Amino acid sequence: MSEELPKVFWEIHNGLPREGPGDNQSTRKAYMLLKDLPKNPRILDIGCGPGMQTRQLAKLSKGQIVALDFHQPFLEQLKNSARKEGLLDRIKVVNGTMFNLNYEDNSFDLIWSEGAIFVIGFEKGLREWRRLLAPDGYVVVSEMSWLQPDLPDEAVEFMKQVYPVIKTVEENLDVAQKSGYRIIDSFVLPSKSWWDNYYNWIEAKLPAMKVKHKDNKDALQYIACEETEIEMFRNYSDYYGYVFYILQVN
Ligand SMILES: C[S@@+](CC[C@H](N)C(=O)[O-])C[C@H]1O[C@@H](n2cnc3c(N)ncnc32)[C@H](O)[C@@H]1O
């Protein structure tokens, strides 16, 4: 993912409640599994986007949260909604890149990243972020994963195009262990939360986008990719999805 994405991408994506699948109940479910957090945890939310999960973390914890993303309009959206909810004094919004996290070792008790570790890579992210965590600190990430052993050809072909490095849950758990974490738990994000906070919003925008960009081949091609992605999930959500991985420094 880069800031070089086509203009139509931002037209479709700006202003959504989330920038990827997720929901507040799942954020809460994952957070409640963290039994050894200090009373006022220091939290880093990487690739926070418009920050639905950041605000939920602020409500769940009494901690201070650094919310980091490289797309300023998402950060403005987060600031506005956090201000309205009286949460902004505990959320520090940072425009930065996950490829250059300028924090000292042991700076955080919890690193959170919903639907964003794929940008740096599941293994690379887990390995690089570990030094930022206090002893017994936690990482909670959601990552697209295969959910079943026998996969339909069409789903496999689609993933080869969009996310060829996708792994099974067991493979990701193995990667996490080899990267210096113990497994606290993992669970599949309900498919409903792909629709309610993400795909339904995108689908609603597409007809107008097609009209607006009717003479722009590249934009139409991009819109077709969004449609394919949504159609694939409609057909194959039993086979792939986002999985929450709840990990603790070993
Ligand atoms: C799929 S979205 C998830 C956003 C949010 N966590 C959510 O669940 O709604 C991925 C996010 O990562 C951000 N991102 C992409 N590349 C990044 C980078 N190099 N550094 C920081 N953030 C990045 C994007 O701007 C986007 O907000």
Side-chain angles (χ1 to χ4, degrees), residues 1-3 10 17-22 45-53 68-71 74 96-99 113-116 118-119 142 198 242:
M1 210 171 167
S2 86
E3 284 286 24
W10 298 112
R18 297 190 66 109
E19 269 308 302
D45 183 0
I46 300 178
C48 63
M52 183 187 276
Q53 76 294 325
L68 180 135
D69 203 283
F70 74 165
H71 186 59
F74 294 159
T97 171
M98 69 175 83
F99 289 97
S113 187
E114 291 194 35
F118 77 92
V119 173
S142 63
Y198 191 52
Y242 266 98

Side-chain angles (χ1 to χ4, degrees), residues 115-127:
I117 195 171
F118 77 92
V119 173
I120 188 166
F122 185 73
E123 178 167 0
K124 188 164 183 236
L126 290 183
R127 286 184 185 276

Side-chain angles (χ1 to χ4, degrees), residues 14-208:
N14 281 341
L16 306 181
R18 297 190 66 109
E19 269 308 302
D23 64 77
N24 279 335
Q25 294 73 19
S26 299
T27 300
R28 182 186 169 82
K29 179 174 169 181
Y31 186 85
M32 294 318 243
L33 291 162
L34 313 177
K35 303 295 182 206
D36 299 334
L37 273 184
K39 227 167 135 212
N40 300 305
R42 301 161 300 163
I43 303 173
L44 173 62
D45 183 0
I46 300 178
C48 63
M52 183 187 276
Q53 76 294 325
T54 320
R55 291 183 287 121
Q56 176 71 338
L57 288 171
K59 289 173 197 165
L60 290 166
S61 74
K62 293 191 163 51
Q64 290 289 332
I65 305 175
V66 175
L68 180 135
D69 203 283
F70 74 165
H71 186 59
Q72 190 60 31
F74 294 159
L75 296 175
E76 295 303 325
Q77 195 178 334
L78 165 56
K79 270 198 245 176
N80 288 335
S81 27
R83 191 177 292 115
K84 280 186 200 143
E85 292 177 310
L87 301 171
L88 201 51
D89 58 327
R90 288 195 294 112
I91 300 175
K92 183 176 175 209
V93 172
V94 174
N95 187 327
T97 171
M98 69 175 83
F99 289 97
N100 184 21
L101 294 171
N102 259 330
Y103 299 99
E104 311 235 318
D105 292 3
N106 296 356
S107 294
F108 298 98
D109 303 299
L110 170 60
I111 293 179
W112 201 273
S113 187
E114 291 194 35
I117 195 171
F118 77 92
V119 173
I120 188 166
F122 185 73
E123 178 167 0
K124 188 164 183 236
L126 290 183
R127 286 184 185 276
E128 289 195 2
W129 300 350
R130 193 178 178 284
R131 72 162 188 87
L132 301 173
L133 286 165
D136 290 329
Y138 293 99
V139 172
V140 176
V141 294
S142 63
E143 163 76 351
M144 185 119 73
S145 311
W146 290 124
L147 305 179
Q148 292 203 34
D150 293 321
L151 299 165
D153 290 346
E154 197 180 22
V156 172
E157 280 312 307
F158 169 67
M159 276 300 159
K160 274 189 195 156
Q161 305 302 317
V162 298
Y163 198 48
V165 297
I166 185 172
K167 292 185 166 52
T168 63
V169 177
E170 294 69 28
E171 285 168 338
N172 280 328
L173 291 173
D174 191 47
V175 167
Q177 271 169 328
K178 288 182 174 142
S179 306
Y181 298 90
R182 48 179 175 273
I183 313 299
I184 302 299
D185 210 341
S186 65
F187 63 87
V188 180
L189 187 72
S191 62
K192 186 177 179 322
S193 67
W194 288 64
W195 296 107
D196 291 356
N197 293 321
Y198 191 52
Y199 280 161
N200 286 346
W201 293 76
I202 294 177
E203 265 194 325
K205 283 189 177 184
L206 294 183

